[in-house]
Amino acid sequence: MSGHSMSVGPGRMGAIMLVAPALLMIGFLFLYPFGYSVISAFTDNGEGSWHLSNFVKAVEFYSKDILFTIAIVTIATALIGILAVAIAGYLTLGENKIAITVLKWLYRWPLFIPFIVSAQLMRTFLAKNGMMNNLLTSSGIIELLAAQSYLDWRGIVITFVWKQTPFVALLVAGAMASIDRTTIDAGRIFGASRLRILIELVVPQIATTLMVGLILSYVVMLSVLSVPLMINAQSPTMLTVDMAWRINSYGDYGVANALGIMSYLFTGVVAWFYLRQSLKDKRA
Amino acid sequence: MVGVGIEIEKLCVGYNKAKVLHEIDLEINPSEFVALLGASGCGKTTLLKSLSGFIKPMSGAIKVAGRDVAQLPPEQRNMAMVFQSYALWPHMTVRQNVGYGLKLRGVGKGQIKAKVDEMLALLGLSDFAERKVPNLSGGQRQRVALGRALAVDSPILLLDEPLSNLDARIRLLMRHEIRFLQQRMGLTAVHVTHDREEAMVMADRIVILNEGHVAQVGTPLEVYEQPKSNFVATFMGAENEIAVHVSRANGSVELIEQGAVKAASLPVSHEIGDGGVNWRATSAGQVLGRFHSSAAHLVADGAVPAGHLAFAGTVTQLSYPGGVFRYEIECSGQHYMIDDACRYAVGDAVTICVPAGGLHLYSDAA
C-alpha cells in the first residue's frame, strides 16, 4: 500500500523536488556548456550551417598532437595501473611490517599536491641540471656529459604517473583489503608465489575497482593543462595546450571545441569498455 | 598419495607476547584422522595455522615425515586445506578452482582436465564444472573446496571448521563424505571443530585443547567414557555435577549417605565398558561427580537398583527432543538434566539413578 502512495501525488513531487537541485546543476554546469561546445564545433561559433571544417582543421593542424595525447595518457595509465597494483599488492601481501608502514605513510603524499605544483616540482627534478641528474652523477651512476633533460614526453608521463598512482593505489588497496583473506591463504597453501597470488587471485577480484580508478585517471590526465604546458610546451604537445592556444591566441572556439569533442570521444571509448565489463559482471 | 605422519614437539605459539599454545606435544600417525576439539579461544585454530604455516611458532618443532617444517612458509609445506569460509576464488569456475593447485604444480593441461573430471565426478559436481562459484549453494561450494584440496594429492589434509557454515542436513552428509574420501585416499587429516558430535563421528582420535594445553588425547570412546579431567568430562557433555562424599575400599568406591545422596557401593573401572566408575580423584572424601543426561534414568518409587548413585528430586520441566523425554530435576537447589523414556509430570517426586559405568569422579573442578 505504502509502495503505491510513494509513486503518485505529493510523494512523487517531493522526490522530484529532492533531485531537482542536482539535476539543475548538471543541466547548467555540464549539459548546457557541453551542448554549446558541440554546436560550436560543428558551426561557426554557433552561427551558420552545420559543417565539419573545424574538425578538418583540427586534424590537419594537430593530428600529431592527437596521437601524442593518446600515447601519453595510454602509457601513463598503463604505468599507473602497474605501480598501483604493486603498491597495493605489497600493502596486502607484504610481510615486512616496517616496510608496509613506511610505504603506507609515503605513497599518498602526491595526492595532496596540485597538478601545477607537481609540474613545477618535476621541472626542477627532471631538468638537465635538475635534482635527478645531480643525484645520478654524484653517485657515479651516469657521467656528467651523459646527463639529459627529461622535460619532454617522458616528463609528462612521469608527472602524471607520480601524481595519479596514489589515487589508484588508494582505491585498489581498499578493495584488496576487503577481499576474503582466506582466498589469499588458499593460494599460499596450494603453493602459489606472492606474485602469482597477486596477478592470478587478487587482481581479478578487484579488477572493477582498478578499472574505475584507471578510467578516472585517464579522464583527469586528458583534461590537465598545467603539466604539458610547463613540462613540454613544444610540438608535439597535448590537446589541452592546443585548445588553450586556439582560444587565447586566435579566439577560435570552433577548432578548440572540435579538439574538446575528440577528447570526449577518447574518454567515451574507455567508458564503453567499462560499461561493457560492468554489464558482463552483472550478468555473471 | 598416502598420508604421512606428523610429530609436534614442545610447540609454543603466540601473538605478540601473549602465548596461545604452551609446549604442545602430539603425534599424528600416517593416514590418521585427528580432530582438534575445544571451546573458542582454546588454541585449536592457532595449532592448525601453525601446522599450515600461516603462523610461525615461537619455539618447538613440527615434523612432517621426519622433516621439521615449523619455519617454512605455507607454500613450501605441501599440505591441502579446506577453509571454514570455503575460500574459493570467485572469479574462477568450479573447474578452474579445482584445477588451480595442479596448475601451480606444473601439471600438464590434459592431466589437469582428467584429474578435475575425476574429482568432480567423485563429488557429484560434474554438471557444475563451468559454473562460477558465487552461483553455487553452500554445500556445493564446500564440495568444490574439498575437491580442490583432494585434487593436489597432498598427503596432509587440513580442515578448518569446514562444516560450520552448512545447514544441519548437509553437514551430516558432508561429515560422512569427508571421512569416506579421507579413508579411501589414505590421507592424514587434521580437523578443527568445536562440534563434539562432529569430532566423535569423523575422527580416529580426538585432541581436546583447553587454554593452549592438551587436556586429553584419545579415541572418541576413550574421551567420552573415560574423561581424564573435570574439564574434559564437561566438554564431552557430562554436564550434570554433584558433590559426593566417598571412601575407597578394595576395587570399589563407597558412597556415604549425605543429603539426598543414598549410600551405595560402586565398582571402579579398569577398562572401558566394564561398568565401573571412572575414578580420577586423587583421594577419598569430598569429590565431584559428573554424568551425562543420557547415562542416568529416573525411578518414581524409590526402588534404586544396586551399584547406582541415587538421589531424590522433583521434576521441574520437561521437553521432548525425540526418542526420549528430557527432564529438568531439582534437587537441593541444584538442577539436573536427565533423559528417560518413561513419562513423568512436572512436580512428580523422582529418584535419579546413575549407574557406576556412567559416573566420573574428580578431586576438583580443574
Side-chain angles (χ1 to χ4, degrees), chain A residues 182-183 188-190 200, chain B residues 75 79 85 89 91 100 105:
Chain A
T182 57
T183 60
R188 291 192 72 192
I189 197 92
F190 287 107
E200 294 179 355
Chain B
E75 54 269 32
M79 294 178 183
S85 63
W89 301 300
H91 57 288
Y100 188 68
R105 283 160 169 74

Side-chain angles (χ1 to χ4, degrees), chain A residues 19 25 27 58-59 82 107 138 143 150 180 185 188 200 203 207 221 241-242 275:
Chain A
V19 296
M25 290 287 276
V59 172
I82 293 166
Y107 90 91
S138 62
E143 294 285 323
Y150 282 82
D180 179 1
D185 290 346
R188 291 192 72 192
E200 294 179 355
V203 170
M221 289 186 290
V241 178
D242 297 331
L275 287 173

Side-chain angles (χ1 to χ4, degrees), chain B residues 270-351:
Chain B
H270 297 292
E271 60 179 279
I272 294 170
D274 64 4
V277 171
N278 176 30
W279 172 261
R280 298 286 174 174
T282 47
S283 60
Q286 195 75 13
V287 296
L288 190 70
R290 285 211 163 266
F291 58 95
H292 288 91
S293 58
S294 57
H297 67 275
L298 301 174
V299 292
D301 51 8
V304 178
H308 281 63
L309 158 69
F311 51 103
T314 310
V315 177
T316 53
Q317 226 180 67
L318 79 96
S319 59
Y320 183 72
V324 290
F325 294 99
R326 180 155 297 160
Y327 296 98
E328 186 192 57
I329 312 292
E330 197 264 324
C331 176
S332 311
Q334 285 258 69
H335 290 88
Y336 301 88
M337 302 304 292
I338 307 295
D339 292 345
D340 197 301
C342 297
R343 184 79 190 252
Y344 298 94
V346 172
D348 283 357
V350 290
T351 301

Side-chain angles (χ1 to χ4, degrees), chain A residues 95 97 180 182-194 196-197 200-202 204-205 284, chain B residues 52 54 73-75 79-81 83 85 87-92 100 103-105 135 148-149 152:
Chain A
E95 287 201 332
K97 283 180 184 167
D180 179 1
T182 57
T183 60
I184 296 170
D185 290 346
R188 291 192 72 192
I189 197 92
F190 287 107
S193 64
R194 298 282 162 88
R196 284 192 85 151
I197 288 173
E200 294 179 355
L201 304 180
V202 175
Q205 293 191 60
Chain B
S52 58
F54 292 118
E75 54 269 32
M79 294 178 183
M81 190 160 173
F83 295 81
S85 63
L88 297 172
W89 301 300
H91 57 288
M92 293 186 191
Y100 188 68
K103 189 177 151 191
L104 290 172
R105 283 160 169 74
N135 301 329
R148 180 178 67 176
V152 293

